[in-house]
């Protein structure tokens, strides 16, 4: 395998063949830097999928486990010509998580893994289950018992073994890790396994290509465990390091008010997350009380001159309705992102309206129909 893991705490390099999910020091694993390239003439002639950026990915196209994910369209909102919606809900399993799942399951296949275990609030589990099915790898998915029924049906449809765990999202993660440690299975975690972010980074590449080599002033990003935020940042950083863009956009990160530990830490300038008891939130996809990568997430927001917004719970359903009346039918977590954007505009006033902004629509409305 051409890439290695690098511990984010002690810097030690590990071979992915070891199948570890954390450094022995307890640190989280990143992907060690590797050579990348963006041969635009070649890229433009390729299939519209995220694998068109092959030279910037850790695997070659011949190794890929793909369902045709990526290269989603970006459309303007209303009559505005500077606020764009990127339609990541138009993916094979109806959420942006397919970006990371394609890369993570490609890694599992390259490592000759026979069985994987993953935990999720729903969409990542769905995506992992689908790509594991494509790669013919046995798959156990752990989700909170409260997960939307349609997501559960979708996970089961792919043939994954579904484990419903009572309690919080953290209880679900604990149950999955226990199973990984007891069985020696590969932990296909979208939080711990850094290959996932090698998939989500293509979100930034696509925006850059779609905008003809430009980037927006600001990116609005929903944040729970930070899989989209960190991946998007890595993507823009790659382009910046290669001298292809003059600067990295400002990251405006959105949490739902009912579960906003990162928002609270950012507001108070704290480095650590205060443990919190999540209240009821409609945004199940970002209801993470203690995100493992919180240091990295907060660092990105600060470094890019960004901001954190808490979307008011009572505005999420209105935002979902408003988007649907514009023709975009998304799940509540995506509506929370839009509610966060509206809150940001209300706080900042007109200047934000003059900025070029991209808002992702991450998950399809059908996933959360009751
Ligand atoms: Zn370490």
């Amino acid at each position: 395998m051409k890439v290695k893991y690098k511990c984010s705490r002690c810097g030690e390099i590990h071979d992915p063949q070891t199948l570890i999910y954390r450094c022995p020091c307890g640190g989280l694993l990143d992907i060690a830097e590797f050579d990348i390239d963006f041969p635009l003439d070649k890229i433009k002639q390729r299939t519209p999928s995220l694998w068109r950026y092959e030279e910037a990915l850790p695997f070659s196209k011949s190794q890929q486990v793909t369902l045709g994910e990526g290269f989603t369209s970006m459309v303007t909102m209303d009559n505005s010509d500077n606020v764009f919606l990127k339609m990541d809900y138009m993916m094979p399993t109806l959420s942006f998580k397919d970006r990371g799942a394609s890369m993570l399951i490609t890694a599992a296949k390259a490592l000759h893994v026979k069985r994987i275990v993953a935990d999720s609030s729903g969409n990542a589990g769905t995506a992992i289950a689908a790509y594991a099915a494509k790669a013919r790898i046995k798959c156990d998915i752990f989700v909170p018992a409260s997960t939307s029924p349609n997501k559960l049906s979708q996970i089961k449809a792919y043939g994954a073994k579904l484990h419903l765990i009572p309690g919080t999202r953290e209880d679900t993660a604990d149950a999955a890790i226990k199973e990984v440690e007891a069985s020696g299975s590969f932990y296909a975690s979208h939080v711990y396994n850094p290959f996932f972010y090698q998939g989500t980074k293509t979100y930034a590449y696509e925006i850059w290509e779609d905008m003809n080599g430009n980037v927006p002033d600001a990116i609005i990003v929903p944040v729970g465990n930070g899989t989209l935020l960190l991946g998007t940042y890595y993507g823009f950083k790659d382009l910046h390091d290669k001298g292809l863009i003059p600067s990295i956009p400002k990251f405006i990160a959105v949490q739902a008010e009912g579960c906003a530990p990162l928002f609270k830490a950012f507001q108070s300038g704290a480095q650590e997350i205060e443990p919190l008891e999540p209240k009821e939130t409609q945004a199940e996809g970002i209801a993470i009380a203690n995100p493992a990568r919180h240091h990295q997430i907060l660092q990105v927001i600060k470094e890019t001159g960004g901001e954190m917004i808490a979307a008011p719970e009572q505005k999420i359903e209105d935002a979902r309705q408003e988007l649907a009346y514009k023709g975009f039918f998304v799940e509540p977590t995506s509506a929370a992102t839009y509610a966060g954007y509206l809150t940001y505009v209300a706080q900042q006033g007109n200047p934000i309206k003059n900025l070029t902004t991209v808002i992702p629509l991450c998950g399809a409305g059908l996933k959360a129909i009751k």
Side-chain angles (χ1 to χ4, degrees):
M1 190 168 283
K2 79 174 177 184
V3 300
K4 302 285 180 232
Y5 291 153
K6 184 179 181 185
C7 174
S8 63
R9 186 187 288 171
C10 74
E12 196 175 335
I13 301 290
H14 299 280
D15 193 319
Q17 297 283 356
T18 57
L19 304 189
I20 57 170
Y21 70 90
R22 282 194 100 137
C23 179
C25 84
L28 294 159
L29 300 171
D30 292 331
I31 297 291
E33 214 169 292
F34 61 98
D35 288 336
I36 57 166
D37 194 18
F38 296 93
L40 204 52
D41 290 348
K42 283 188 196 163
I43 291 171
K44 290 226 173 271
Q45 290 168 24
R46 290 176 182 158
T47 310
S49 102
L50 59 81
W51 290 91
R52 66 203 270 113
Y53 308 105
E54 189 182 3
E55 291 83 356
L57 300 177
F59 303 102
S60 66
K61 215 171 166 185
S62 61
Q63 296 172 289
Q64 68 181 1
V65 178
T66 183
L67 293 165
E69 59 291 322
F71 216 65
T72 53
S73 42
M74 201 158 79
V75 297
T76 52
M77 188 169 73
D78 297 325
N79 300 319
S80 154
D81 54 7
N82 63 346
V83 180
F84 295 90
L85 300 173
K86 185 151 169 71
M87 317 285 277
D88 259 31
Y89 67 95
M90 290 164 62
M91 287 274 200
T93 78
L94 308 179
S95 95
F96 84 97
K97 291 283 202 304
D98 291 359
R99 295 183 184 277
S102 176
M103 211 58 60
L104 181 49
I105 301 302
T106 296
K109 193 179 166 200
L111 294 166
H112 306 292
V113 162
K114 299 281 179 259
R115 179 177 175 237
I116 60 170
V117 169
D119 55 283
S120 160
S121 60
N123 284 338
T126 308
I128 298 282
Y131 286 83
K134 182 77 195 292
R136 299 187 178 278
I137 295 173
K138 281 202 182 102
C139 175
D140 284 60
I141 302 288
F142 290 68
V143 294
S146 58
T147 304
S148 297
N150 286 6
K151 293 181 185 175
L152 303 181
S153 304
Q154 204 184 348
I155 292 168
K156 280 192 275 190
Y158 296 124
K161 192 170 171 196
L162 186 62
H163 303 256
L164 294 179
I165 308 299
T168 64
R169 174 68 181 84
E170 284 63 38
D171 295 329
T172 297
D174 290 345
I177 289 173
K178 212 166 145 194
E179 174 64 20
V180 166
E181 284 170 356
S183 65
S185 298
F186 180 69
Y187 189 24
S189 165
H190 59 291
V191 184
Y192 287 97
N193 194 297
F195 281 111
F196 200 89
Y197 304 86
Q198 292 294 306
T200 52
K201 73 180 186 180
T202 58
Y203 181 81
Y205 300 166
E206 290 175 17
I207 292 172
W208 166 72
E209 194 184 337
D210 219 6
M211 295 180 82
N212 296 316
N214 293 314
V215 288
D217 299 307
I219 296 272
I220 313 290
V221 203
V223 58
N225 272 313
T227 47
L228 183 62
L229 181 139
L230 292 171
T232 304
Y233 172 75
Y234 298 146
F236 283 126
K237 188 167 183 308
D238 285 347
L239 295 166
H240 189 251
D241 288 349
K242 284 276 168 193
L244 294 165
I245 57 172
S247 60
I248 294 177
K250 203 188 274 276
F251 278 62
I252 313 298
V254 179
Q255 296 214 285
E257 210 177 34
C259 187
L262 292 160
F263 171 76
K264 291 194 174 95
F266 188 83
Q267 293 301 101
S268 67
Q271 295 294 314
E272 296 302 327
I273 298 290
E274 286 285 324
L276 60 77
E277 206 53 51
K279 284 184 243 149
E280 192 71 14
T281 175
Q282 295 175 68
E284 65 178 5
I286 49 173
I288 310 294
N290 190 11
R293 294 190 184 265
H294 61 269
H295 287 146
Q296 294 174 324
I297 294 167
L298 292 169
Q299 180 60 29
V300 165
I301 301 165
K302 279 182 206 145
E303 197 181 306
T304 61
E307 192 57 70
M308 278 235 55
I309 305 295
E313 289 292 333
Q314 74 276 16
K315 301 272 186 184
I316 295 176
E317 185 49 37
D318 289 350
R320 178 159 127 117
Q321 188 80 76
E322 195 180 315
L323 279 173
Y325 285 163
K326 294 175 195 290
F328 307 104
F329 183 40
V330 296
E331 66 170 318
T333 307
S334 294
T337 311
Y338 182 55
Y341 166 75
L342 296 176
T343 305
Y344 187 55
V345 171
Q347 282 172 8
Q348 302 285 316
N350 277 333
I352 173 74
K353 287 190 177 159
N354 299 326
L355 299 179
T356 304
T357 305
V358 175
I359 306 172
L361 298 181
C362 290
L366 290 175
K367 282 178 171 274
I369 283 186
K370 292 188 180 109

